[in-house]
Each structure stands twice: as C-alpha cells, then as structure tokens.
Amino acid sequence: MAGSQGSWTGGALTAGSLWKPKYAARAVFHPAWIPQSVDPTVEQLKKIRLIAGTVAAIGVYTFVEGGFAFDEMLENMLTASVVLLLITPLTVGIMLFVWRRRGSVSGLKPSLFNSLKLLLLFVGTIVLTVVLLQSAGGAGFFILVLGPAVLWLIGFVARGAWHVGANFFGTAGVHRCLPPLLAAVTSWLMALPDLLTGDLHGLSLGMGVLFILGAPLTVTGIALLEMRRLEQRYGIRLAAHPATHPHLAPPPPPMPPNAPPAPPYLPPQGNPYGPGTGQPYHPGNPYGPGAGQPYPHGNPYGPPAGNPYNQGNPYGH
C-alpha cells in the first residue's frame, strides 16, 4: 500500500494503524503465512466468487423485500458463522481422508492449526459484533461508549470478511483448491434452509429462485473455473496430495549477493604433490641415470674409470 506507508509498513500492525479497521483486519485475517495467488486470473475469479458469496451470506432478498431488514441480516450473519464453524472442519477432514490414501498428512498440521485459529477468531468477532449491535439499542447512556466500538467492529468484520472470503482462512496454505471448494460448499449450505422450506421471503417464485439459487450457482461455477485453471496451468488437482504440488514446496535458499556461480566438478589438474608439469619425482627415468653423474668419482659398484694396476693385463706382460 504505497499511499499509506505512514501507518502500514510491510504488513505489520502499528499503533497508528490499530484505529483503522481495514489495516487491523488485514493484519489479523491475512497474515504473512498465507500464500499469494499463483495466477492473476485466479485472483480475479476469487473477487467475483467473494461478491457472490457475500450475497449468499447476507441474503440479497433483505434489500428487495420492501426495505432493508437489519434484524434479518444479523440473523443471517449468525447462521453463516455456525455454518462456517461446522462445515469448514468437516470438509477439510474429508479431504484429509482422501489425501491420506496417497501419503502422510502429518506435515499439514501447522497450516491446519493456523487456519483453525483464523476461523475461530473470525466467528468469534462476528458473534461479538452481533451481540453488541443487538444490545446497543437499549443501552441508553452506554451507547456513547458502545457506539464507537460497534462501528469499529463493523468495519473490522466487513474488511475481515473480504480477506477470509478470498483466502478462506488461509486454507490455500494446505491445498490451493481448498478455498474454492469451501466457498462452494458453504454457499450451498447457506441456501439449503430456504430450498428445503420453500421460504421465498415474500418474493415471487421467479425472483425467489433467482436470489436463493443465484448466489450458490455463481459461487460454484467460479470455484470450478478456479480449480480447472489450477489444474490446467499448474497441475494442481483437488484429489492430489498437497506434497505433490511444486508451488507449495518451500523455495530454495537465496544465493549470497555477488556470489560467483559454482563451477562444475573437474578432476584436479597438474602434479598433486608439488609444482611442475612434468615428472613428479625428477626429470628423466626415475630408475636410470640422471642428467648428470650423482657420484663425483664414478660408479662405486662398477669398474674404475682406469686400470688401477698398470696400463696392461696384470697377469701378462
């Protein structure tokens, strides 16, 4: 965020940014351990899926039913929290069972624990916000105290919903296909009560079907597009074990700055015992005579250079 470096630096929450709900929500609900999107197109699909998911969670029929139904929106927020709290661990547990057949899932525990913490924190924040909103009307004098806190929480939850809707509690750190899968499952469970009861909330049949089925159908279609693109471009499939995905493997350690590239292995060249490029012992044949006579008076084991007796035969004349 180039325009707000004074209060937001490197994704860290500072004292100055604490009072701004959007910065606090980003620091809490989009921490650094959540992996970035692998493709810009997938990121755009996430935004469209998020909008459709918001419609499913809040219920657009509250706006067309003859006015904004604030109490019903609060009720839908609590329902969405319960659905998230139940269906997210259940769906992830089913996928863990599938992946376990193809390899160990013990290495996924840190990412699963981080995602669970985000889920519990988000659901707890929603419940707290709804409780404060419901009690603020009859708070009397305390509305002066509760009012700013409630307004801050509304902004915090709204911005947090945007982040967790896109990354779905950081489950992309477990498997890249988990966020679209969870979004599709959650949107259908949000619409399921209305589908089973036939409650169209005062809308005509056509409008009711449009608003009840439109959101989950849109979320599911976009989720399928996300997973299809991940499979076609990056080889990431939902049923495949996360360890088989190269994009989830940790990157290699960076090279030190200005370090020359390592040369390929070559056998040592030259004399391994000392300088020189010729005979490692001495020039010439190591077992024959050298370049010069090593004994100053001739060979001590051979015949003398001259006859020691006389110039002729020592036994003849």
Side-chain angles (χ1 to χ4, degrees):
M1 298 182 182
S4 57
Q5 293 181 354
S7 57
W8 185 261
T9 305
L13 185 63
T14 62
S17 62
L18 178 64
W19 303 104
K20 299 180 180 180
K22 63 178 182 179
Y23 297 147
R26 177 175 176 83
V28 173
F29 295 115
H30 194 86
W33 55 263
I34 296 180
Q36 297 298 322
S37 183
V38 297
D39 191 292
T41 303
V42 174
E43 188 66 27
Q44 294 299 323
L45 290 173
K46 283 182 180 180
K47 294 179 181 179
I48 302 174
R49 167 172 58 81
L50 177 58
I51 295 174
T54 303
V55 171
I58 297 178
V60 72
Y61 44 79
T62 59
F63 296 92
V64 297
E65 194 182 357
F68 179 69
F70 184 75
D71 292 337
E72 191 167 359
M73 186 198 70
L74 295 181
E75 180 181 346
N76 290 337
M77 289 177 62
L78 289 177
T79 303
S81 300
V82 175
V83 171
L84 287 174
L85 193 59
L86 295 178
I87 198 60
T88 301
L90 178 60
T91 306
V92 174
I94 293 174
M95 293 311 304
L96 288 175
F97 179 77
V98 174
W99 298 331
R100 189 177 181 180
R101 298 179 177 181
R102 295 167 171 82
S104 174
V105 295
S106 59
L108 304 177
K109 289 181 180 179
S111 298
L112 291 170
F113 184 66
N114 288 334
S115 298
L116 180 61
K117 287 192 296 184
L118 279 188
L119 172 63
L120 295 177
L121 180 60
F122 182 69
V123 171
T125 306
I126 290 180
V127 173
L128 177 63
T129 303
V130 172
V131 170
L132 289 179
L133 283 173
Q134 291 176 339
S135 60
F141 175 78
F142 292 100
I143 190 67
L144 298 177
V145 179
L146 293 178
V150 170
L151 291 176
W152 188 94
L153 276 175
I154 291 174
F156 180 76
V157 169
R159 192 70 178 189
W162 175 266
H163 291 299
V164 300
N167 59 56
F168 230 92
F169 310 107
T171 50
V174 181
H175 195 295
R176 293 283 183 174
C177 291
L178 272 182
L181 173 67
L182 291 170
V185 173
T186 303
S187 64
W188 278 107
L189 286 179
M190 288 297 302
L192 190 60
D194 294 334
L195 292 175
L196 295 178
T197 61
D199 185 8
L200 302 180
H201 300 273
L203 301 175
S204 64
L205 179 62
M207 292 293 290
V209 171
L210 174 63
F211 286 124
I212 293 175
L213 293 181
L217 285 174
T218 303
V219 172
T220 302
I222 296 174
L224 292 175
L225 285 176
E226 285 186 56
M227 289 189 284
R228 179 178 176 84
R229 188 170 182 87
L230 288 171
E231 180 178 359
Q232 289 182 339
R233 300 201 64 176
Y234 304 99
I236 300 176
R237 296 183 298 108
L238 177 62
H241 194 282
T244 63
H245 299 162
H247 296 281
L248 295 182
M255 294 291 293
N258 302 324
Y265 175 77
L266 293 175
Q269 304 296 317
N271 184 358
Y273 304 100
T277 58
Q279 174 59 248
Y281 305 100
H282 56 76
N285 186 350
Y287 305 103
Q293 175 59 254
Y295 304 101
H297 301 292
N299 187 349
Y301 304 104
N307 192 335
Y309 303 101
N310 52 31
Q311 299 299 322
N313 187 347
Y315 303 103
H317 298 280

